[in-house]
């Protein structure tokens, strides 16, 4: 098989039937699990395109909601479509009073991603007419469910922050754009409304846009896998949120800042940490470095590294963690360990520093990543749901457990 951009693949769909063999590919690193028309990624050359548009162009000219529309519907919206989409997002921003009570059932110090995935999954319970677990019916109400997912994941994110901080909820405002509304719900006080300066809303837009979709990463493949059972959009995305929470995936952005903070508190210039990272021990990895598919550079990291510098300069913020990050970046890029293993900064290396400058607490970084990734999850769920004759995702395995043996009564067991 040959993809649009010339990627070559071997079609092994009849391998087991014809030969009795299965293909072994732990972690699916060399396996294409689907055909997809959403995102093109060439990890060797640092290329990322959404629906054909280079990420650099989207970052420069677009914003999060326009890119979300592009990712989901395949084309950039014209003015009328953009307006309708914006209207649907605004109409679906609020969390109903009954649903708000779910927040209070969680401990104040619950992991935010655990709260986000549970509360998000509950959308299937509150809006069962949009989540029937029947592809034909769920596709018929897709526009509404998609808008709800994008708008409410952001509101839930802000509300869980307020709840965990012991602050009263701030509800979405109809007249605010998407990112400004998130910041308003996060940071407004009873008699003092938070008004985002343009640099801040631009930085948040960029951050979310860069995360909008990223091909078959762990969480997106999870969404596809769950969706392939005909599970509805909300349930499938909730599974994606769980997958994103791990430190090797979306959890890396907070791990980076924790790592930079630990280096700072130790009074280390980063060299001790780099030395430890080279031990090969998984728990000492240089967080924000390396990528499963980018083996040259992560184009998102280039964009975000520069945006980070610009934002901090414009806001007049002097963050010692940025200096440490830059030192680590320079040192690692000259070190043979990192060069020979093709380990470069990934999108998470600088995104945490931007979020710090925006006032977002470290505990919420991965929640912000989830808000950004929701359009990609939606688009991938839609692709699965609308593929004619799509089959349930069900890989094989190589069994390496005990051979057949006979049941032993408890009294006779050693
Ligand atoms: N620091 C030190 N060594 C590393 C690192 C790192 N960050 N990443 C990989 N290595 C080493 C690894 O020990 C192995 O060495 P050796 O060949 O001697 O055994 C080699 O590089 C290849 O590692 P791998 O685990 O086979 O690489 P992978 O492509 O399977 O893993 C990764 C990709 C992202 C999980 C990994 O690089 C990592 O753990 N990075 C840190 C976590 C991180 O920043 N994750 C965010 C990813 S980007 C956001 C997203 O899309 O989720």
């Amino acid at each position: 098989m040959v993809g649009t951009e010339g990627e070559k693949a071997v079609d092994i769909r009849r391998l087991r039937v014809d030969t009795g063999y299965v293909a072994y590919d732990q972690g699916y690193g060399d396996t294409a699990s689907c055909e997809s028309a959403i995102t093109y990624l060439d990890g060797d050359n640092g290329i990322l395109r959404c629906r054909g548009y280079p990420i650099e162009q989207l970052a420069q000219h677009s914003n999060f909601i326009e890119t979300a529309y592009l990712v989901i519907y395949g084309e950039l919206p014209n003015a009328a479509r953009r307006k309708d989409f914006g209207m649907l997002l605004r109409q679906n921003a609020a969390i109903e009073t009954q649903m708000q009570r779910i927040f209070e059932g969680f401990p104040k110090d619950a992991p935010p991603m655990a709260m986000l995935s549970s509360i998000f999954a509950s959308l299937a319970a509150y809006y069962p007419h949009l989540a029937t677990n029947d592809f034909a019916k769920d596709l018929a109400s897709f526009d509404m469910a998609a808008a709800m997912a994008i708008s409410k994941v952001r509101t839930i994110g802000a509300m869980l922050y307020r709840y965990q901080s012991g602050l009263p909820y701030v509800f979405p405002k109809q007249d605010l754009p998407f990112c400004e509304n998130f910041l308003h719900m996060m940071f407004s006080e009873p008699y003092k409304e938070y008004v985002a300066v343009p640099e801040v809303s631009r930085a948040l837009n960029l951050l979310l846009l860069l995360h909008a979709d990223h091909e078959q990463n762990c969480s997106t493949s999870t969404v596809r896998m769950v969706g392939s059972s005909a599970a509805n959009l909300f349930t499938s995305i909730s599974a994606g949120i769980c997958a994103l929470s791990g430190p090797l995936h979306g959890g890396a952005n907070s791990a980076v800042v924790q790592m930079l903070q630990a280096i700072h508190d130790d009074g280390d210039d980063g060299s001790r940490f780099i030395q430890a990272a080279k031990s090969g021990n998984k728990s000492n990895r240089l967080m924000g470095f390396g990528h499963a598919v980018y083996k040259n550079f992560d184009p998102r990291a280039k964009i975000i590294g520069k945006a980070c510098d610009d934002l901090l300069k414009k806001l007049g913020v002097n963050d010692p963690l940025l200096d440490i990050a830059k030192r680590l970046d320079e040192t690692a890029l000259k070190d043979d360990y990192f060069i020979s293993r093709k380990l470069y900064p990934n999108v998470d290396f600088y995104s945490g520093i931007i979020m710090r400058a925006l006032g977002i607490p470290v505990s919420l970084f991965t929640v912000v990543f989830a808000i950004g990734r929701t359009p990609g999850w939606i688009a991938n769920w839609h692709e699965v749901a609308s593929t004619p004759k799509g089959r349930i995702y069900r890989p094989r395995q190589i069994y390496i457990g005990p051979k057949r043996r006979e049941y032993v009564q408890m009294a006779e067991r050693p």
Side-chain angles (χ1 to χ4, degrees):
M1 297 169 78
V2 182
T4 319
E5 294 284 351
E7 329 87 279
K8 296 190 273 301
V10 180
D11 183 350
I12 57 162
R13 276 174 291 182
R14 289 190 54 83
L15 181 68
R16 196 182 59 84
V17 173
D18 289 348
T19 68
Y21 282 82
V22 294
Y24 175 60
D25 181 20
Q26 199 275 326
Y28 314 122
D30 285 314
T31 296
S33 63
C34 58
E35 291 179 281
S36 176
I38 305 167
T39 291
Y40 173 67
L41 201 164
D42 173 351
D44 292 327
N45 294 303
I47 294 173
L48 172 61
R49 296 184 199 136
C50 288
R51 301 286 190 181
Y53 294 100
I55 193 68
E56 293 80 4
Q57 288 186 21
L58 293 172
Q60 194 179 349
H61 303 296
S62 185
N63 61 32
F64 174 60
I65 292 303
E66 186 188 64
T67 297
Y69 184 98
L70 169 71
V71 166
I72 296 169
Y73 293 105
E75 295 296 338
L76 287 166
N78 61 20
R81 290 208 183 95
R82 173 66 187 83
K83 195 163 165 252
D84 290 347
F85 188 52
M87 188 65 78
L88 213 49
L89 294 177
R90 282 164 212 256
Q91 286 164 350
N92 286 289
I95 300 298
E96 289 178 18
T97 319
Q98 193 191 5
M99 200 174 149
Q100 284 169 28
R101 296 206 204 103
I102 306 180
F103 290 77
E104 274 109 64
F106 284 93
K108 280 260 156 68
D109 58 353
M113 287 295 276
M115 279 184 76
L116 184 69
S117 62
S118 320
I119 299 171
F120 193 89
S122 79
L123 291 173
Y126 285 94
Y127 304 97
H129 59 292
L130 303 176
T132 63
N133 292 349
D134 173 327
F135 276 155
K137 286 189 192 145
D138 288 353
L139 283 172
S141 53
F142 174 75
D143 291 346
M144 176 61 92
M148 218 178 241
I150 295 175
S151 207
K152 291 203 196 300
V153 73
R154 168 207 51 181
T155 308
I156 296 169
M159 283 177 72
L160 72 85
Y161 163 71
R162 302 286 300 196
Y163 168 69
Q164 295 203 307
S165 311
L167 297 167
Y169 299 132
V170 177
F171 298 107
K173 279 182 80 175
Q174 281 275 329
D175 57 337
L176 284 179
F178 188 88
C179 287
E180 284 82 347
N181 223 342
F182 175 66
L183 295 164
H184 156 71
M185 289 188 271
M186 289 279 294
F187 302 127
S188 282
E189 292 167 28
Y191 299 103
K192 193 160 167 252
E193 192 161 309
Y194 176 94
V195 181
V197 296
E199 287 80 11
V200 164
S201 52
R202 249 200 314 276
L204 184 58
N205 258 298
L206 177 69
L207 190 78
L208 297 180
L209 178 156
L210 291 177
H211 286 90
D213 190 45
H214 206 235
E215 207 227 41
Q216 295 313 311
N217 55 85
C218 175
S219 56
T220 302
S221 294
T222 300
V223 170
R224 288 188 84 111
M225 177 163 278
V226 175
S228 77
S229 75
N232 64 77
L233 180 71
F234 301 135
T235 310
S236 304
I237 290 182
S238 167
I241 294 172
C242 294
L244 187 72
S245 68
L248 298 188
H249 190 11
N253 54 17
S254 47
V256 169
V257 166
Q258 279 152 359
M259 172 188 82
L260 296 174
Q261 190 67 55
I263 294 172
H264 181 255
D265 295 347
D266 268 12
D268 182 13
D269 63 355
S271 42
R272 280 208 301 270
F273 204 93
I274 291 211
Q275 214 42 46
K278 297 195 302 189
S279 68
N281 184 336
K282 270 198 174 168
S283 50
N284 284 339
R285 284 194 166 174
L286 188 55
M287 299 311 284
F289 257 69
H291 198 275
V293 283
Y294 290 122
K295 300 296 174 192
N296 184 335
F297 66 92
D298 177 343
R300 302 167 303 168
K302 279 202 171 176
I303 299 168
I304 218 162
K306 179 164 181 327
C308 190
D309 252 350
D310 291 351
L311 178 71
L312 265 57
K313 265 188 211 130
K314 276 184 196 139
L315 297 182
V317 174
N318 186 8
D319 189 341
L321 300 198
L322 179 62
D323 299 333
I324 296 175
K326 282 186 174 167
R327 251 195 327 271
L328 284 180
D329 188 344
E330 278 165 24
T331 316
L333 293 182
K334 282 190 226 135
D335 190 305
D336 189 51
Y337 174 92
F338 294 90
I339 297 170
S340 62
R341 288 169 180 75
K342 301 185 174 177
L343 301 170
Y344 300 89
N346 60 50
V347 67
D348 288 328
F349 196 65
Y350 288 106
S351 65
I353 298 173
I354 291 200
M355 285 195 257
R356 259 165 75 91
L358 301 183
I360 296 169
V362 178
S363 60
L364 220 70
F365 285 3
T366 315
V367 168
V368 174
F369 188 157
I371 298 170
R373 183 54 53 85
T374 299
W377 290 331
I378 294 171
N380 276 274
W381 179 90
H382 187 271
E383 216 166 47
V384 169
S386 55
T387 299
K389 292 202 188 149
R391 52 182 296 213
I392 191 163
Y393 283 29
R394 191 355 183 140
R396 299 268 168 173
Q397 64 166 16
I398 312 287
Y399 175 70
I400 56 165
K403 282 195 174 251
R404 185 202 152 105
R405 46 187 171 165
E406 301 309 320
Y407 182 82
V408 182
Q409 295 298 335
M410 196 179 290
E412 291 159 27
R413 289 178 212 160

